[in-house]
Amino acid sequence: MRQDLIMVGGSGRLPKGVATLDTNRAKSRFGVAYVRAVCSQAGVGFQETSPDEDVLAVDGTVAFEIADARVQVKCTGQFRLKGGSTATWPIDESWRKRWNRCGVPVYFVLVIVDPDDQVAWLHHQDEATLHRAAAFWVRVDKLPDGQNIVVPKAQRLTADTLRLWADDVEASFDPSRGGGVGV
């Protein structure tokens, strides 16, 4: 075994002295990068919230023409990509209060890395680099009290998803579609 390699996440190897993030911080960065990649594919901007300014319980905004949608991103290896039709995430009541006061849609995006092995998150092949991950989403700005976040795995985050989100944002300004003043 090479002496300049260290164990990361139990079974993978990274060169010694390279990693500066612990596994949880690395997952956080990977989750945001994954969302950025989907936004880039769709041709929309993603602006990350500064860590010291994360007072609205959102990690960033997706920039649409009429207004931005807010997004909370979590990245985990506790779920599998195959198996199960939903993933349930516990909600902090302070998040719910902030999301429910928002006048534009707020989305919760769950990025699942599978397997939960940092080195395996990306698979580098000659013709492409593949993510060993997928993201799923649910709108959370109208969650009832006492309910955790249930993310349907049928709601995969793709470029097409962002077209749906743009429609939701536009509807939040249209009184005939339930948006606008007095909502």
Side-chain angles (χ1 to χ4, degrees):
M1 180 164 96
R2 290 179 45 188
Q3 295 300 312
D4 64 338
L5 296 178
I6 59 171
M7 299 301 285
V8 175
S11 62
R13 299 172 193 278
L14 290 176
K16 186 182 274 185
V18 171
T20 58
L21 300 174
D22 63 31
T23 302
N24 285 336
R25 286 187 175 95
K27 280 182 186 167
S28 178
R29 301 310 318 146
F30 187 87
V32 169
Y34 190 100
V35 171
R36 279 187 185 278
V38 173
C39 287
S40 178
Q41 181 187 31
V44 297
F46 180 85
Q47 179 66 44
E48 189 172 1
T49 304
S50 169
D52 293 335
E53 297 172 351
D54 186 10
V55 296
L56 299 175
V58 294
D59 291 314
T61 57
V62 177
F64 297 114
E65 188 172 24
I66 192 167
D68 297 345
R70 294 179 178 171
V71 181
Q72 174 69 31
V73 180
K74 295 294 180 189
C75 184
T76 184
Q78 75 183 43
F79 303 103
R80 302 286 59 93
L81 294 175
K82 293 182 178 180
S85 60
T86 63
T88 301
W89 196 266
I91 188 171
D92 183 302
E93 284 304 315
S94 67
W95 300 352
R96 182 189 326 274
K97 289 177 184 172
R98 289 181 180 102
W99 296 341
N100 286 347
R101 292 181 45 86
C102 191
V104 294
V106 180
Y107 299 97
F108 182 86
V109 173
L110 186 63
V111 178
I112 298 175
V113 290
D114 187 6
D116 190 11
D117 176 2
Q118 188 171 346
V119 174
W121 296 347
L122 297 174
H123 183 69
H124 302 283
Q125 299 175 338
D126 290 341
E127 64 279 358
T129 297
L130 305 173
H131 289 254
R132 295 292 305 265
F136 308 92
W137 65 276
V138 65
R139 188 169 170 177
V140 293
D141 53 294
K142 303 298 181 213
L143 281 179
D145 288 342
Q147 179 179 321
N148 283 324
I149 302 165
V150 178
V151 184
K153 286 186 175 178
Q155 291 185 179
R156 183 85 177 258
L157 181 67
T158 67
D160 289 334
T161 301
L162 298 177
R163 290 180 187 89
L164 298 172
W165 290 8
D167 289 343
D168 284 350
V169 169
E170 189 168 339
S172 68
F173 292 93
D174 183 350
S176 71
R177 295 171 67 187
V181 180
V183 175

